[in-house]
Amino acid sequence: MQLQPASKHGDPVGKEFTAKRRGFSGQTPASHHREEQRMELCEAMIDVAAALFSVSGKELRQPGRTSSSVCRVRQIAMYVCHVVLGLSMREVGEGFCRDRTTVLHACHLVEDMRDDPDFDRIVGMAERVAHAAFRGRDLRNGR
């Protein structure tokens, strides 16, 4: 089964959203476990971002386009997953049900916006929270 983003008009976002992303095929049990851990990291980062920025986790998980404020929070969360948690852009894309190029765009955008001291402070806070929340885990090797 190939990983596919949830349909815009199909299943409601929630358990079905997560279940669709967990249909890994052609993997060894060890690589499947690492993939599961990476997906769980993205799920956890979505929850952290929702709490930090007072945005609905459901809205952050929603496939397709969303409001600019929700989109910006999702971009920050994707950036933190890549930079702090060390996930590849492909892994972050799978975890957020987005394309790798969407993650690339988000990372470039967040980096460019960090020239603004207020925005940099916000992103820095998100990075510190993620670092503290996931401290002690070897994220690059899935342990």
Side-chain angles (χ1 to χ4, degrees):
M1 177 173 142
Q2 295 291 326
L3 295 177
Q4 297 292 325
S7 166
K8 288 182 184 176
H9 307 291
D11 297 330
V13 178
K15 291 181 183 175
E16 294 83 7
F17 172 81
T18 302
K20 281 186 178 187
R21 296 182 305 163
R22 299 202 174 177
F24 311 110
S25 62
Q27 296 180 340
T28 65
S31 66
H32 176 77
H33 180 69
R34 282 191 300 275
E35 196 69 29
E36 280 283 321
Q37 286 181 320
R38 290 179 178 124
M39 296 300 271
E40 288 171 9
L41 284 173
C42 289
E43 285 287 323
M45 190 61 223
I46 290 170
D47 292 336
V48 167
L52 279 175
F53 299 106
S54 300
V55 175
S56 162
K58 183 177 179 178
E59 284 183 292
L60 288 175
R61 288 175 175 87
Q62 191 170 13
R65 296 182 184 271
T66 55
S67 71
S68 61
S69 60
V70 171
C71 181
R72 184 74 67 229
V73 171
R74 186 184 307 112
Q75 289 168 337
I76 292 169
M78 287 192 279
Y79 173 83
V80 171
C81 281
H82 177 62
V83 173
V84 176
L85 304 182
L87 300 179
S88 72
M89 290 186 186
R90 179 191 57 81
E91 292 164 340
V92 175
E94 289 172 358
F96 282 78
C97 278
R98 297 291 195 271
D99 188 76
R100 171 193 60 80
T101 60
T102 303
V103 179
L104 176 67
H105 172 74
C107 289
H108 284 173
L109 191 66
V110 170
E111 277 295 329
D112 289 345
M113 293 181 73
R114 290 193 84 167
D115 290 338
D116 176 341
D118 291 332
F119 187 79
D120 185 55
R121 212 172 4 266
I122 291 167
V123 174
M125 176 196 57
E127 289 174 324
R128 287 188 300 278
V129 168
H131 188 268
F134 301 107
R135 185 185 347 250
R137 293 186 66 177
D138 183 0
L139 304 175
R140 294 185 194 277
N141 294 319
R143 292 186 205 131

